[in-house]
């Protein structure tokens, strides 16, 4: 079996992984929400421009406070652009993120208006954009993983980012690969993680 055939077989094994062995919803939901999970293993396969923009288009339609749409995207897709990102991503994350064909720095415009008002919901809205990216990518057969392990000050300096833009997360995007392409220290963790019971997240209302 050739290297390419082996890689395709590995991708197939990952895509057919029994997610239900690791995840079970407490109540009925669309399988999309359960089957999507954050991978560290990325194939050496470019993401077409139109596919990337479809993923970002989903984020464009995310809900936002007062429709301010504060999300902004710095995209590294070429080798030269990815080298810039490598300068501020922390070494522990570079072990796997260096293999991702696309890196997206998700940022937010903190301004509410031209008079200096601050949008207090900008980070909250960035979360909605990230969720849309992750789900749309999954629908297209892509994997995503968001990371906070990067030097924000260095990223701001390297990319010449203005002060009113706040940096949120770096998102790795690409087609999922097999375990053989992943560093050994991450292989056992390359499975869909579980969630605590819904009841553990619902807090009791108490009157003071």
């Amino acid at each position: 079996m050739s290297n390419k055939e082996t890689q395709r077989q590995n991708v197939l094994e990952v895509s057919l992984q029994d997610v239900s062995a690791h995840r079970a919803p407490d109540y009925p939901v669309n399988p999309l929400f359960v089957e999507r999970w954050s991978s560290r293993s990325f194939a050496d396969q470019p993401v077409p421009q139109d596919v990337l923009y479809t993923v970002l288009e989903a984020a464009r339609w995310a809900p936002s406070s007062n429709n301010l749409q504060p999300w902004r995207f710095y995209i590294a897709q070429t080798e030269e652009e990815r080298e810039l990102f490598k300068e501020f991503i922390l070494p522990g994350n570079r072990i796997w993120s260096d293999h991702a064909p696309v890196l997206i720095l998700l940022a937010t415009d903190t301004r509410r208006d031209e008079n200096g008002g601050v949008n207090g919901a900008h980070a909250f809205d960035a979360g909605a954009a990230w969720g849309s990216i992750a789900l749309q990518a999954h629908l297209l057969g892509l994997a995503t993983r968001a990371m906070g392990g990067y030097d924000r000050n260095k990223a701001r300096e390297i990319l010449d980012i203005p002060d009113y833009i706040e940096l949120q997360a770096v998102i790795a995007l690409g087609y999922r690969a097999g375990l053989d392409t992943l560093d050994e220290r991450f292989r056992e963790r390359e499975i869909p993680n579980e969630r605590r019971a819904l009841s553990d997240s619902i807090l009791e209302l108490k009157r003071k």
Side-chain angles (χ1 to χ4, degrees), residues 51-73 75 104 106-107 125-137 171:
V51 174
L52 170 61
Y53 279 16
T54 294
V55 171
L56 297 177
E57 178 72 13
R60 175 188 172 215
W61 293 99
S64 65
S65 175
N66 291 295
N67 198 31
L68 291 175
Q69 307 164 56
W71 42 78
R72 301 291 185 271
F73 311 112
I75 303 170
I104 303 168
L106 172 59
D125 294 342
W130 151 238
S132 297
I133 286 172
L135 293 173
Q136 180 62 66
I171 302 167

Side-chain angles (χ1 to χ4, degrees), residues 3-6 12 34 54 60 66 79 89 95 101 103 105 110 114 137 149 155 169 183:
N3 289 337
K4 287 187 176 180
E5 289 174 337
T6 301
L12 180 61
V34 180
T54 294
R60 175 188 172 215
N66 291 295
E79 184 61 35
I89 294 176
I95 295 171
L103 295 168
L105 175 55
T110 62
E114 297 178 354
D183 189 275

Side-chain angles (χ1 to χ4, degrees), residues 68 109-119 164:
L68 291 175
D109 188 330
T110 62
R111 300 172 298 180
R112 180 181 176 85
D113 51 49
E114 297 178 354
N115 299 320
V118 176
N119 175 10
Y164 60 82

Side-chain angles (χ1 to χ4, degrees), residues 3 6-7 10-11 14 41 177-184 187:
N3 289 337
T6 301
Q7 185 181 52
N10 288 333
V11 172
V14 173
S41 182
L179 293 180
D180 60 324
T181 66
L182 193 61
D183 189 275
E184 289 185 1
R187 290 181 185 179

Side-chain angles (χ1 to χ4, degrees), residues 24-46:
D26 291 344
Y27 296 89
V29 294
N30 190 292
L32 170 67
F33 297 99
V34 180
E35 293 173 356
R36 186 224 63 84
W37 58 283
S38 298
S39 175
R40 290 186 178 90
S41 182
F42 293 95
D44 183 18
Q45 178 182 351

